[in-house]
């Protein structure tokens, strides 16, 4: 604990039956303990007064676990700590698992890491709602960050305090523990699980998680994060990847050099072009990511080719779609680029546009997918021939 300048941070609210036991348990391992009393109305202040060796911070009224944790992070930084291991005060966490976090940190290649305790959710005393909520949270964390974890809801964690200080964190209650790991991952912090034990059947354990209101708050937060992921994070990461590698290297490594078969790569190209030319404006990123996941295609390739509808090309795509649709419907009209840009007269030809854009999307997918397949097959055979001498 001293080597890593690490403390144990315990937010508490009305857990007078288990608090003293938890503190005594932790004191067997370290005296670097910070407790944030989140406006408790029971005997918590009197219990804390008996532990002179720990640092205690009192909030005048109950504001939520998120607020208590943010207060604790701030105070821990003031005291010079670099990491904080957070524990709940309801007795469900075991202090003997503290070394698990430190041992993992000792061997980690990066010190910008956030560890989350991974509970055995299959053990008999785990409530059904906790197991469901964890699976729900794990899925959305994966969607939002690309990282799959076994447990995203456990409060037993190790936080890198200086990295957490850089984040803009707003939520005050239980949803804070989702907000902080998603935003930390978006900023480049490695988020991982470490195995910990859990106790659920303690008769003295009191949980303040309110199923309906707190689950609703978490769902609203995840909805917002999904939107941010689709319209900002995924495009940002993709263009950062291209910028870091360079277009040539990206094409060689991620397209030509991928281990996927030519057919799978070509299918990814076709999907990307189809979505990019389709009339589902505003949903292109969501659709291409969802369908590439569903069809088990190459997501970077599909996303790259979906950007065929970049803003400079949109008027030309619309015009080509209208012309194509009109040909199929046997209609005739005159429409200039100026009318598209200025007064959107093309909306009166919506039927022709929708039909034309779908036809154009199919033709574009077949054309680009076919060219991609032939090209990738050719390069694949050439590479094989070179490797075989």
């Amino acid at each position: 604990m001293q080597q890593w300048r690490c403390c144990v941070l315990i937010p508490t609210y009305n857990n007078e039956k288990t608090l003293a036991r938890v503190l005594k348990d932790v004191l067997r391992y370290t005296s670097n303990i910070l407790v944030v009393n989140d406006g408790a109305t029971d005997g918590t202040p009197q219990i804390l007064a008996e532990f002179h060796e720990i640092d205690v911070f009192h909030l005048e009224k109950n504001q939520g676990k998120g607020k208590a944790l943010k207060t604790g992070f701030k105070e821990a930084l003031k005291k010079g700590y670099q990491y904080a291991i957070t524990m709940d005060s309801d007795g469900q966490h075991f202090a003997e698992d503290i070394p698990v976090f430190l041992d993992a940190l000792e061997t980690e290649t990066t010190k910008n890491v956030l560890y989350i305790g991974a509970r055995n959710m299959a053990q008999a005393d785990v409530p059904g709602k906790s197991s469901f909520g964890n699976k729900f949270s794990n899925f959305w964390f994966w969607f939002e960050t690309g990282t799959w974890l076994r447990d995203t809801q456990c409060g037993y964690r190790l936080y890198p305090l200086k990295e957490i200080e850089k984040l803009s964190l707003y939520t005050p209650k239980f949803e804070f523990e989702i907000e902080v790991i998603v935003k930390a991952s978006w900023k480049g912090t490695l988020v991982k699980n470490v195995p910990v034990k859990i106790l659920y059947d303690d008769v003295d354990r009191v949980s303040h998680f309110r199923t309906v209101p707190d689950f609703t708050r978490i769902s609203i937060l995840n909805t917002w994060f999904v939107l941010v992921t689709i319209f900002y994070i995924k495009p940002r990461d993709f263009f950062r990847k291209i910028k870091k590698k360079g277009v040539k290297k990206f094409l060689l490594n991620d397209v030509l050099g991928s281990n996927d078969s030519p057919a799978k790569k070509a299918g990814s190209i076709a999907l990307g072009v189809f979505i990019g030319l389709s009339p589902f404006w505003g949903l292109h990123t969501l659709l291409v990511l969802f369908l590439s996941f569903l069809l088990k295609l190459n997501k970077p390739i599909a996303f790259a080719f979906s950007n065929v509808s970049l803003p400079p090309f949109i008027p030309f795509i619309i015009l080509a779609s209208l012309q194509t649709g009109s040909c199929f419907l046997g209609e005739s009209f005159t429409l200039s680029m100026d009318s598209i840009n200025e007064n959107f007269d093309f909306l009166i030809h919506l039927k022709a546009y929708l039909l034309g854009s779908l036809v154009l999307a199919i033709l574009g997918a077949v054309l680009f997918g076919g060219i991609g397949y032939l090209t990738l097959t050719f390069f694949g055979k050439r590479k094989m021939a070179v490797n075989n001498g």
Side-chain angles (χ1 to χ4, degrees):
M1 297 292 285
Q2 296 301 121
Q3 175 188 343
W4 294 108
R5 296 168 69 182
C6 182
C7 66
V8 175
L9 172 59
I10 304 175
T12 186
Y13 173 68
N14 287 359
N15 281 127
E16 62 180 1
K17 292 183 179 181
T18 54
L19 179 58
R21 169 161 46 98
V22 169
L23 293 176
K24 290 176 182 177
D25 201 20
V26 176
L27 280 169
R28 293 191 297 113
Y29 293 87
T30 181
S31 59
N32 296 353
I33 304 174
L34 279 71
V35 178
V36 179
N37 169 23
D38 188 21
T41 56
D42 59 1
T44 293
Q46 291 75 27
I47 294 171
L48 293 174
E50 298 175 4
F51 291 86
H52 304 289
E53 61 270 65
I54 67 176
D55 294 302
V56 179
F57 305 92
H58 296 278
L59 301 180
E60 292 185 5
K61 61 180 181 179
N62 178 245
Q63 299 182 55
K65 188 176 184 180
K67 176 63 176 178
L69 286 172
K70 283 186 281 188
T71 300
F73 293 156
K74 184 178 179 180
E75 296 299 333
L77 281 166
K78 287 181 180 179
K79 291 184 173 294
Y81 292 114
Q82 293 185 346
Y83 296 92
I85 296 176
T86 60
M87 289 180 64
D88 293 341
S89 62
D90 58 4
Q92 67 171 317
H93 300 148
F94 292 82
E96 63 190 72
D97 282 330
I98 290 175
V100 172
F101 292 93
L102 299 177
D103 290 344
L105 185 62
E106 182 77 36
T107 59
E108 196 66 61
T109 55
T110 175
K111 303 313 173 188
N112 180 14
V113 61
L114 191 162
Y115 290 125
I116 304 175
R119 303 162 291 179
N120 178 11
M121 302 304 292
Q123 68 184 55
D125 60 346
V126 176
K129 64 180 181 180
S130 295
S131 179
F132 169 78
N134 190 54
K135 292 177 182 177
F136 177 86
S137 180
N138 293 348
F139 170 79
W140 288 117
F141 182 78
W142 167 80
F143 185 90
E144 292 152 7
T145 67
T147 300
W148 183 263
L149 298 178
R150 290 170 48 206
D151 194 342
T152 53
Q153 290 193 315
C154 182
Y156 207 173
R157 304 178 176 190
L158 180 143
Y159 288 97
L161 294 174
K162 290 187 177 180
E163 298 301 324
I164 299 302
E165 186 184 25
K166 299 174 185 177
L167 305 178
S168 298
L169 302 167
Y170 303 103
T171 55
K173 300 185 182 296
F174 285 103
E175 70 275 14
F176 171 84
E177 290 182 308
I178 297 297
E179 180 189 17
V180 67
I181 61 173
V182 171
K183 289 186 174 179
S185 181
W186 284 349
K187 284 289 187 179
T189 296
L190 178 64
V191 181
K192 295 179 65 174
N193 281 137
V194 292
V196 298
K197 295 180 286 296
I198 192 75
L199 177 65
Y200 271 111
D201 59 0
D202 188 346
V203 294
D204 292 328
R205 179 175 178 266
V206 177
S207 174
H208 299 290
F209 185 87
R210 302 165 300 168
T211 303
V212 174
D214 287 321
F215 188 76
T216 299
R217 294 171 72 96
I218 291 173
S219 298
I220 293 172
L221 179 65
N222 274 318
T223 300
W224 170 245
F225 278 165
V226 166
L227 293 174
V228 174
T229 298
I230 293 170
F231 294 107
Y232 175 67
I233 298 298
K234 293 296 184 183
R236 179 203 69 177
D237 291 347
F238 174 74
F239 288 113
R240 279 182 178 177
K241 188 175 184 180
I242 293 180
K243 184 178 180 181
K244 184 177 181 180
K245 288 188 173 183
V247 175
K248 182 178 179 180
K249 194 173 181 180
F250 171 80
L251 291 174
L252 290 174
N253 292 348
D254 293 77
V255 179
L256 297 175
S258 170
N259 293 325
D260 293 332
S261 67
K264 189 171 183 178
K265 292 175 183 176
S268 304
I269 293 171
L271 174 65
V273 172
F274 175 82
I275 296 298
L277 296 176
S278 70
F280 308 113
W281 300 102
L283 298 175
H284 286 173
T285 303
L286 175 62
L287 287 172
V288 78
L289 291 175
F290 174 74
L291 290 175
S292 59
F293 168 75
L294 188 67
L295 300 174
K296 297 181 179 180
L297 297 175
N298 187 303
K299 288 187 284 295
I301 294 177
F303 180 79
F305 280 87
S306 71
N307 285 281
V308 67
S309 56
L310 286 170
F313 305 130
I314 291 176
F316 300 98
I317 293 172
I318 293 175
L319 186 58
S321 298
L322 284 166
Q323 294 284 4
T324 303
S326 297
C327 289
F328 271 84
L329 294 173
E331 297 176 353
S332 62
F333 70 97
T334 56
L335 191 67
S336 66
M337 292 295 296
D338 290 337
S339 64
I340 290 179
N341 291 324
E342 292 175 5
N343 51 30
F344 293 91
D345 284 345
F346 71 90
L347 289 176
I348 63 176
H349 302 286
L350 184 60
K351 183 179 178 181
Y353 164 68
L354 292 175
L355 175 61
S357 64
L358 289 173
V359 171
L360 198 65
I362 294 171
L363 293 175
V366 172
L367 177 63
F368 281 89
I371 293 173
Y373 178 75
L374 294 175
T375 303
L376 292 166
T377 302
F378 171 77
F379 277 105
K381 289 181 178 179
R382 186 177 179 183
K383 182 178 180 182
M384 186 180 297
V386 171
N387 290 339
N388 292 332

